[in-house]
């Protein structure tokens, strides 16, 4: 389908985009789909590892029972993502950061592709697959550090305890700082984009509701309808990598 601006973006949205100063963007796995990162849901199947559903292998319970298995899953995901480039959607969002005086990007993704596309100060609700942290002293390590990643050395240099992926696992709380910052920004947004999320996981799916409550104009970009679609002022059914560059 030939996607052009006239066909998908209303005059109202064009005007609001032109005038906006405070813009809030929430992204999910769908924004990385065109880069080749499998989504968790959507398209009918859910991701699995060695026959284990992703929400089992990526859980606090699994971390307690079998940390090496959790690392194997996250090493596999990092190896996959390492070969992947950000797509046109990531690049468009990075450009928006330069355009709007008050721009907030909140992502549920742990793939680091927004940063790879040049986005700064991204609010990472669910952590980042390129970081590890000590389960005891909390010291953080950059896994883009080839030596450490290659050595698969997951012990803390500070206290000698085990490192774990610095990712929010199922059954775990979100990093408080990230959550608070996102709520504050959602409460002052004029224009809110919801891109590539099934809007099934809270508190992330709650931010557009917070923005709506303060009068923000809500735009969803997703090939499929979601539980948030009815709340939105505009729903653009399409792929993020095709739609976002049109703005
Ligand atoms: N462009 C835009 N949206 C897309 C695209 C695309 N090219 N391809 C798929 N989508 C949409 C799907 O229709 C679906 O609604 O992206 C959404 C992906 O949904 P999920 O897989 O549920 O991902 P997400 O919403 O990010 O999941 C939230 O749940 O599994 C946990 O911690 C994990 O962060 C994740 C959270």
């Amino acid at each position: 389908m030939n996607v052009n601006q006239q066909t998908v973006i209303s005059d109202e949205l064009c005007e609001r985009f032109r005038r906006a100063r405070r813009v809030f963007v929430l992204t999910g796995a769908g924004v990385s789909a065109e880069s080749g990162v499998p989504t968790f849901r959507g398209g009918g199947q859910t991701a699995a590892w060695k026959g284990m559903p992703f929400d089992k292998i990526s859980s606090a319970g699994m971390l307690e029972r079998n940390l090496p298995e959790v690392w194997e899953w996250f090493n596999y995901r990092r190896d996959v993502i390492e070969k992947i480039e950000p797509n046109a959607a990531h690049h468009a969002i990075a450009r928006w950061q330069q355009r709007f005086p008050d721009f907030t990007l909140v992502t549920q993704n742990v793939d680091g592709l927004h940063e790879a596309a040049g986005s700064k100060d991204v609010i990472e609700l669910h952590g980042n697959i390129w970081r590890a942290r000590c389960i005891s002293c909390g010291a953080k390590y950059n896994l883009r550090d080839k030596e450490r990643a290659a050595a698969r050395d997951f012990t803390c240099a500070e206290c000698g305890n085990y490192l774990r992926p610095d990712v929010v696992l199922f059954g775990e709380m979100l990093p408080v700082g990230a959550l608070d910052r996102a709520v504050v920004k959602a409460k002052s947004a004029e224009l809110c984009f919801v891109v590539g999320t099934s809007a099934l996981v809270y508190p992330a799916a709650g931010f557009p509701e917070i923005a709506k409550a303060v009068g923000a104009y809500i735009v969803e970009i997703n090939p499929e309808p979601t539980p948030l679609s009815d709340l939105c002022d505009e729903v653009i059914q399409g792929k993020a990598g095709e739609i976002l560059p049109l703005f």
Side-chain angles (χ1 to χ4, degrees), residues 74 77 81 107-112 126-130 167-168:
F74 278 97
R77 289 184 70 194
I81 290 169
T107 189
Q108 299 167 84
N109 302 346
V110 297
D111 56 30
H126 298 158
N128 190 313
I129 209 171
W130 295 101
V167 168
V168 177

Side-chain angles (χ1 to χ4, degrees), residues 28-30 34 39-41 54 108 126 170 196-198 201 222-223 240:
E34 291 152 88
T39 60
F40 297 95
R41 306 163 194 92
F54 72 87
Q108 299 167 84
H126 298 158
F170 282 85
T197 180
S198 57
V201 176
N222 193 318

Side-chain angles (χ1 to χ4, degrees), residues 37-52:
V37 181
T39 60
F40 297 95
R41 306 163 194 92
Q45 88 286 349
T46 57
W49 164 259
K50 293 184 181 175
M52 246 188 294

Side-chain angles (χ1 to χ4, degrees), residues 22-43:
R22 298 186 307 280
V23 175
F24 183 100
V25 176
L26 173 68
T27 66
V31 82
S32 296
E34 291 152 88
S35 294
V37 181
T39 60
F40 297 95
R41 306 163 194 92

Side-chain angles (χ1 to χ4, degrees), residues 198-225:
S198 57
L200 295 170
V201 176
Y202 280 74
F207 298 135
E209 294 161 357
I210 293 171
K212 179 81 177 177
V214 296
Y217 193 80
I218 315 293
V219 182
E220 182 176 61
I221 293 160
N222 193 318
E224 297 178 12

